[in-house]
Amino acid sequence: MKDNLIKYYPSFSHTKLILTLLAFVSLISLAYSNPFDGTKVEGDVKTAEETKLEITEVSIAKAAGIEEIKEGYPIEGKTAKGNLRLRSWPWGAVVEKYPEGTSVKILGESGEFYLVEVDGQQGYMHRSYISTDKEKASLKTPSYPGDTKNGGYIQLAKGVEASKKGKENMDKGDACGWDSVTPCEKMPNRVSSEYGWRIHPCTGERKFHNGVDLPVPTGTRLNAMGNGVVTGVGFESGGGNYVRIKYDNGYETFYCHLQKATVKMGERVECGQQVALSDNTGQWTTGAHLHMEVKVNGERVNPRDYVSSIKNLK
């Protein structure tokens, strides 16, 4: 098996150098650490068994659950986001960054990540930002454990576990209906105002638009995007009547300018359930439409990246 693994995972200089340095630093840290030091938690102290592990491309592949190229691989792909990081393992040290449109060979998958080969190097790239002939990049926001969003990394075992949990959360989100229902019934054929900076149609000022506007007639049925709980129902002067829902996968939606909400605060809702009717309420509107916002990990994101029925609208 080891010979087969080496065949599929040849060494590459940059990554090997980083892996060697990481292993060396880990051993030095262990030598000078005091397991009885109250400032450390149990999870921070490496076990003797872990320090004996030779960190190589083969051992990483085993830990990540990719012991050989499985049926259906390799496949060709392209990066769908600029400066996409190539990591030593899932949530491991960053080896290199690649621009959007870079061709990659996908050798396997581990949780949120693909094992790829690019420019003669092998490493792990987040699958949310890689498109293949069979599947477009989802562009869903990764889980980003620890300081990984800022380019940091976590230990191999913890990285693999975090990657698996992240994939489970993404799958749960899909199962909740994000790829099977529409926010409006029926949907318009365009977005009348995009997420991002714009000149406000009412004030004429340059202002950031936190969602997308979907031009639908008054009384259009509005649906829950998944299974979740209503966390807000009310009225605000600018947005008029609104409803806010937090879903089981952690995502949130905010609908406003409503005729009325058809659910109550704290109510449990199901995927596709009617939650409101559209209208033109509130001060900051020039016509009937749905203003829709999406939050992931508490941060507003572009709904086009998370709601498939909006992605391809004009």
Side-chain angles (χ1 to χ4, degrees), residues 212-255:
V212 296
D213 289 345
L214 302 174
V216 291
T218 294
T220 297
R221 169 180 168 144
L222 306 178
N223 300 321
M225 294 303 299
N227 302 326
V229 176
V230 178
T231 56
V233 175
F235 178 88
E236 59 181 28
S237 60
N241 296 318
Y242 69 85
V243 60
R244 182 180 291 108
I245 300 172
K246 186 166 186 178
Y247 301 95
D248 293 346
N249 65 342
Y251 296 176
E252 298 176 67
T253 56
F254 174 76
Y255 298 165

Side-chain angles (χ1 to χ4, degrees), residues 195-210:
Y195 173 89
W197 289 100
R198 68 171 184 174
I199 301 300
H200 197 285
C202 296
T203 66
E205 298 177 350
R206 187 172 184 268
K207 190 174 182 181
F208 196 89
H209 191 221
N210 292 316

